[in-house]
Each structure stands twice: as structure tokens, then as C-alpha cells.
Amino acid sequence: MPWVRSLAAALLALPLSLAAQDVPEAQLPTIDKPLPPASDRTPRANVMLADYRYDDLLWENDRTAHRIYGHALEAYEPPSGSGIDSWGKNVAWPFMDRQLKSGDQHGFHGEGLDYYNVGTSRGAGGLGIWLDNKLWTSRNFTKHRILRNGPDAADFEVDYAPWPVAVTRKVWESRRFTLPMGTHFTRMVSTLGSDKPGLLVVGIGIARKPTGAEGELTVDKARGLLSWWGPEERGHGRMAIALRFDPSMLVDVVKDADNHLALLRVTPGKPFVYYSGSAWNLGNGGFRTRGDWDRYAAAERVTFAAPAAGR
């Protein structure tokens, strides 16, 4: 992946103080029981399966951190779902594994926290099939393949088992996630299968109320952008989420009870590309206002060229 290697080389040429923005201690929440120290504080991208926690799949870089939920969680926390979780982080090295093993991933232990509540929403860029004004979504991923575990990128694939769309159709999905160093955006390549021919309308979503109250949404259809600035939560700050997608595929931007949705026209069997970004306003990146985040999301360098199916 030449674009990953060139970005990583540019990042490594920067001083560490620029690679991971320092946030004044006074702005951060009070530390509750610090995490065990990292064995290596070298900035890197990381992806791992947390098999000790119902097969959560964790990935992060020097800026942002995410997880999706494995099939094993469905029995423990029904209904569970295929939305994307986003964590805030304020260090440049991996912290998610130690945070999750603390037994309190929702608290602030000095390196980041998870207070973004996905539930059955799409979270930070999950998708579903839009039909009859309803979003039909998969359950949790069933298989995964780690393609590259850093240091310059976290790169992996997951499969979602077939799920019903109304009573007339079934679809399934394979998706590749790539998060290089130095960006808040994960590039996703989705390939949907279907038991019937014909175009699908895919809804890619941002949860409306993952941290409590409704956030603020910026829509730029011409650029292919949804940018969400979350509400201030006392002791936690704000989360920010953005989606970038090919504007030529856009049908509409709508909302349901749980999500803001970009509706895209997709051909089964043909891969398509979109990007999901997130940030914590008290963490790395220095996004202190809605305008800061909107400008960054709009300026992110994206390419929507996808590999041929089966490659």
C-alpha cells in the first residue's frame, strides 16, 4: 500500500511532539487508578483480538481508537450489534488492551477512555441496508483476518454472516479496515453479497446520541461528508465523528431513531470505499471546537478507488 508507506514515512520524520499532540493535564478528567505502564511507548498502529472479552476486535493508531464486537458477545450482551465503537485517547502508543483489562474501560485511567455508547446504533460508521424507510443490519462479525499489525498501519478484514432485508432478500458483507499512522480516519472497503440481483441502498451511519444528548451535524453532500460534534459531557468532554464517502454514490442523507445516515447506491459484488473518522476533544489532534473538526474532516485526503472483487 504505497499511500500507507508514504504517510508513515512522513510521520516518522516529524518530532514526537508533533506526531502526538500534548494536552495540558488540567484539561483532562481526574485519573482514577492509573493503568499499568506501557512496556513500550513507541507510537505505533495496533490491531488485536481481545479473546478474553468476547472477541472484541481493537484497533488504534497515534490519534484514535476503535473496536467492533465479536459473535461471542451476542449471548452475553443481547442484542449487541455491528456498530463501530470509538474511544478517546491522549497518548501516542497503544492503550486499548490495558484499558479493557482494567475492568473499567469507561473510566479515565490516564491514557484515554470509552464513554461512546454504541448500543444497536451504527456508532462511528457502521452500515446497514435501507429499505422501506428502515435500516436492516447485520449481527456481530463472525470471522476476522489480521493483515498487518503495525507499526505504520492497522489493517484487517472481517466477515458478517447473511442477514435478512425485509422477508424478500438476504445480504452478507466482507469489509477491510485500514488505519495508518497520523490520521483520525479508518479507510473501509466493503463488499456486499446478495441472494438476489439488483442495486442496494446502503445506509452508513453516525449514532445520534451515543454520549447522551443530541450532537450537532454538518452535512456537505457535494464533498461527501457527514461531520458530527458531540455534546459536552461533564467529566468526559466531547466526541467527534465524521464520514467521508463518494458523493457520486449518494442518494440522500436521512435519519432514523438512532442514526444520521448517508444513503449510497451500491452494486452487490462490487467493492466500495468510505472513511470513518473520530476524535476526542480532550485527546490527540487538538480539536477544541466544532469548526476545528469540520475543517479537518473536509480536508482529509481520500480516494474512493476500490480493488476489483475477489482481490
Side-chain angles (χ1 to χ4, degrees):
M1 294 177 291
W3 64 279
V4 171
R5 289 193 293 270
S6 60
L7 181 57
L11 178 70
L12 292 174
L14 295 174
L16 179 58
S17 60
L18 295 180
Q21 169 129 2
D22 294 326
V23 178
E25 186 81 18
Q27 292 184 272
L28 295 169
T30 302
I31 296 175
D32 177 26
K33 299 178 183 177
L35 293 179
S39 58
D40 183 355
R41 293 192 171 195
T42 304
R44 61 167 287 140
N46 188 69
V47 54
M48 64 167 290
L49 184 74
D51 53 4
Y52 57 86
R53 205 277 179 186
Y54 305 101
D55 293 343
D56 285 356
L57 193 55
L58 316 175
W59 75 101
E60 59 186 309
N61 67 356
D62 56 317
R63 298 290 189 92
T64 189
H66 300 275
R67 68 172 165 169
I68 51 176
Y69 306 107
H71 180 70
L73 187 64
E74 292 177 9
Y76 181 72
E77 289 184 1
S80 192
S82 56
I84 298 175
D85 192 16
S86 181
W87 292 19
K89 69 178 294 184
N90 55 289
V91 295
W93 52 86
F95 88 106
M96 295 186 80
D97 183 41
R98 288 175 295 117
Q99 179 82 0
L100 197 56
K101 285 178 175 175
S102 74
D104 178 25
Q105 71 263 27
H106 305 297
F108 182 65
H109 308 299
E111 301 186 23
L113 77 169
D114 168 28
Y115 71 101
Y116 186 90
N117 182 26
V118 176
T120 57
S121 76
R122 298 300 80 205
L127 61 74
I129 308 301
W130 185 254
L131 181 68
D132 295 334
N133 292 315
K134 179 179 177 179
L135 193 67
W136 303 82
T137 61
S138 71
R139 300 302 305 273
N140 301 7
F141 76 88
T142 55
K143 296 179 181 178
H144 79 286
R145 296 168 293 281
I146 294 176
L147 306 176
R148 189 170 189 168
N149 182 15
D152 57 338
D155 191 12
F156 61 96
E157 294 176 331
V158 298
D159 296 332
Y160 294 96
W163 72 92
V165 178
V167 295
T168 60
R169 194 169 188 175
K170 285 187 177 181
V171 299
W172 51 93
E173 183 192 10
S174 293
R175 195 187 314 167
R176 182 171 180 172
F177 299 65
T178 307
L179 176 64
M181 290 284 283
T183 178
H184 289 262
F185 279 85
T186 299
R187 185 177 194 262
M188 304 197 197
V189 183
S190 172
T191 306
L192 290 161
S194 173
D195 65 349
K196 292 187 176 180
L199 294 173
L200 295 165
V201 176
V202 172
I204 303 172
I206 298 175
R208 291 176 58 185
K209 300 179 181 180
T211 61
E214 190 93 38
E216 300 172 278
L217 186 72
T218 299
V219 178
D220 187 337
K221 293 182 179 181
R223 185 176 269 113
L225 167 69
L226 294 187
S227 178
W228 181 84
W229 182 248
E232 178 77 30
E233 183 171 318
R234 185 177 177 86
H236 290 90
R238 301 174 186 265
M239 292 298 294
I241 308 295
L243 301 177
R244 296 294 307 272
F245 48 85
D246 186 345
S248 70
M249 299 174 65
L250 184 65
V251 176
D252 202 357
V253 174
V254 301
K255 63 183 177 181
D256 64 10
D258 297 321
N259 310 284
H260 299 287
L261 296 164
L263 303 183
L264 307 184
R265 190 173 286 106
V266 171
T267 301
K270 182 179 180 181
F272 70 97
V273 175
Y274 70 99
Y275 293 75
S276 170
S278 78
W280 181 36
N281 78 315
L282 301 182
N284 293 345
F287 304 106
R288 303 293 182 250
T289 69
R290 178 186 180 187
D292 290 340
W293 177 242
D294 282 354
R295 283 187 291 272
Y296 174 83
E300 178 72 4
R301 295 177 62 184
V302 295
T303 175
F304 298 111
R311 295 182 59 186

